[in-house]
Amino acid sequence: MSFVGLLALAVAVAAPARGLDDRAARLVRTRLTWAAVVAGVLAFPAVLTDQARSGSGYDYSGAWQKLFDGSTAGLLAGFETVLPLIAALILLPVVLRRSLTSRLITGLRAAALLLGVVALAATRIPAKAPAPADRARTAFQTFMWMLHLIGGAVWVGGLVGLVVLAVRSALDSGFWSAAIRRFAAAAMGCVAAISLSGLYLYWSHVDGPTQLFTTMYGRVLGVKILLFGSLLVLGAVNQFWLHPRIDALRAAGDDRPLRTVLARRFPTVVGVEVALILALLFVAPFLHGSARNQAYQADVAKHTTNPKAKLPKLPQKEVSASTWVEGTAETAAVLVVTVAGYRFSGRLARRRADRAAQAGQAGPAHQAVQPVQPGPATT
């Protein structure tokens, strides 16, 4: 996920980086690409370890032999394991050679990003072909999972990339203003994608709010929802308060590096956001199964005479006309709120920056015409 997000951020900030001098532009390109290379290389042992995990330990030899073994499951496992490493190798010329043209750099990034997205998609593409009656539903579920994963990848990886760029660098305020604004637009799109896909997954796996408290899946999901909701609140704080204030500081002549401004003026906001993201990534892997099935199986277990018998599962929910109406209304609401929030925050940032610039211009002129009053201060 970090690999995909870092490359997406590199694409988003490519235009602001072109306005920098050669050294600063190379710093942006090199740091984001090196971070993506490291993420792609680390993904290989991490995913292989996940493939090797079994009930009795970790069978790396067996996991390696299953990659590309001729089956659909082996093909998907191979894509998930190997493609990030191949994509990382594709990116090496971008950081090892300085004479590459911008078109070639864009092409290498696009190829690596495509491989990263395919690897991410391989984690949710079903290994078995669904029945003809279930093909449309399976395709829609897979699409929703792609929205969830790619949205989270661009959001999380983009934040990682911004931290990488901010550490011990002297990028000018013009770059940061454009870069943060571009990332804010991408992040709000990611929030919309995560929200829509999350609503669908909630509908698929949970039968009512009570299961958020009575099942293990529901309790883990409830914690995840609380963390995500807290991140949304912090995102609103960033969008409507933090970013406009930073733009106002820049317009007023504050040219300190962004990391200095954040550390000295807004350390709590940044620290809490990082902690919540780490907590969310820690909780997400614990979501297994379905709250519907856990509640159903708990009820069946109370009445069974054989405690070792395999418990049945509920069939998937049926989609009705009301489901489509509710889903369409939720989609429209999320999109309207996202677009309106982004436009309003942009206007707010411009107004604050204009006021700060006007105050900065009026200050010296005002001081020039003020009479000097005698007293201790003038002596």
Side-chain angles (χ1 to χ4, degrees):
M1 291 177 72
S2 295
F3 178 81
V4 172
L6 284 163
L7 287 179
L9 180 67
V11 172
V13 302
R18 292 193 191 104
L20 302 174
D21 58 75
D22 292 341
R23 182 179 179 183
R26 188 166 59 251
L27 182 145
V28 173
R29 183 186 76 185
T30 304
R31 284 198 178 187
L32 290 180
T33 307
W34 266 124
V37 169
V38 171
V41 171
L42 290 179
F44 177 78
V47 176
L48 185 62
T49 299
D50 186 56
Q51 301 285 351
R53 183 181 55 185
S54 62
S56 58
Y58 292 89
D59 183 10
Y60 286 94
S61 176
W64 181 257
Q65 292 175 2
K66 290 180 181 178
L67 303 182
F68 302 108
D69 61 357
S71 65
T72 304
L75 179 65
L76 293 173
F79 283 165
E80 181 185 354
T81 307
V82 176
L83 287 186
L85 180 60
I86 296 175
L89 296 177
I90 289 175
L91 290 174
L92 282 179
V94 178
V95 291
L96 296 180
R97 298 191 62 182
R98 298 184 179 183
S99 59
L100 296 180
T101 63
S102 59
R103 180 175 297 182
L104 181 56
I105 292 173
T106 302
L108 292 175
R109 282 176 175 169
L113 181 58
L114 177 62
L115 292 179
V117 170
V118 172
L120 200 58
T123 64
R124 286 297 173 179
I125 294 177
K128 295 182 180 179
D134 295 332
R135 286 176 182 173
R137 183 190 185 102
T138 302
F140 187 76
Q141 286 178 336
T142 304
F143 173 72
M144 283 296 169
W145 269 114
M146 292 305 99
L147 283 181
H148 210 67
L149 291 176
I150 295 174
V154 174
W155 191 12
V156 174
L159 287 173
V160 172
L162 290 178
V163 172
V164 168
L165 289 179
V167 174
R168 299 182 65 83
S169 66
L171 297 172
D172 61 29
S173 58
F175 167 81
W176 279 115
S177 180
I180 291 178
R181 194 66 188 160
R182 282 170 170 262
F183 175 71
M188 293 191 77
C190 293
V191 167
I194 294 171
S195 299
L196 291 175
S197 55
L199 288 170
Y200 172 78
L201 295 173
Y202 174 87
W203 173 84
S204 299
H205 295 293
V206 181
D207 278 337
T210 56
Q211 290 185 356
L212 293 176
F213 305 95
T214 58
T215 64
M216 179 58 67
Y217 182 97
R219 286 190 285 269
V220 174
L221 180 61
V223 173
K224 185 180 177 183
I225 291 173
L226 288 176
L227 292 172
F228 181 68
S230 301
L231 279 172
L232 286 183
V233 172
L234 275 179
V237 171
N238 291 342
Q239 195 71 15
F240 297 108
W241 182 74
L242 181 60
H243 294 171
R245 285 177 67 88
I246 291 176
D247 288 343
L249 289 173
R250 296 305 193 203
D254 189 343
D255 292 328
R256 291 177 298 172
L258 180 67
R259 65 180 186 276
T260 304
V261 175
L262 292 176
R264 294 184 179 180
R265 299 184 68 96
F266 315 106
T268 304
V269 175
V270 177
V272 172
E273 188 167 6
V274 171
L276 287 175
I277 289 174
L278 293 176
L280 184 64
L281 292 177
F282 177 78
V283 169
F286 289 92
L287 279 175
H288 292 288
S290 167
R292 298 175 65 243
N293 281 320
Q294 290 179 3
Y296 174 69
Q297 291 173 347
D299 184 66
V300 171
K302 294 179 181 178
H303 304 89
T304 185
T305 57
N306 183 6
K308 296 184 179 180
K310 186 176 181 180
L311 296 174
K313 293 183 178 181
L314 288 171
Q316 292 184 336
K317 285 185 178 180
E318 295 295 330
V319 179
S320 62
S322 61
T323 306
W324 284 109
V325 171
E326 292 174 3
T328 303
E330 290 171 352
T331 302
V334 170
L335 293 178
V336 168
V337 170
T338 302
V339 174
Y342 180 75
R343 292 177 65 88
F344 176 74
S345 66
R347 292 178 182 176
L348 183 64
R350 286 191 294 271
R351 285 201 298 265
R352 289 189 175 181
D354 291 342
R355 286 200 299 266
Q358 292 172 3
Q361 294 172 0
H366 177 71
Q367 293 172 5
V369 299
Q370 289 296 318
V372 179
Q373 300 293 335
T378 57
T379 59

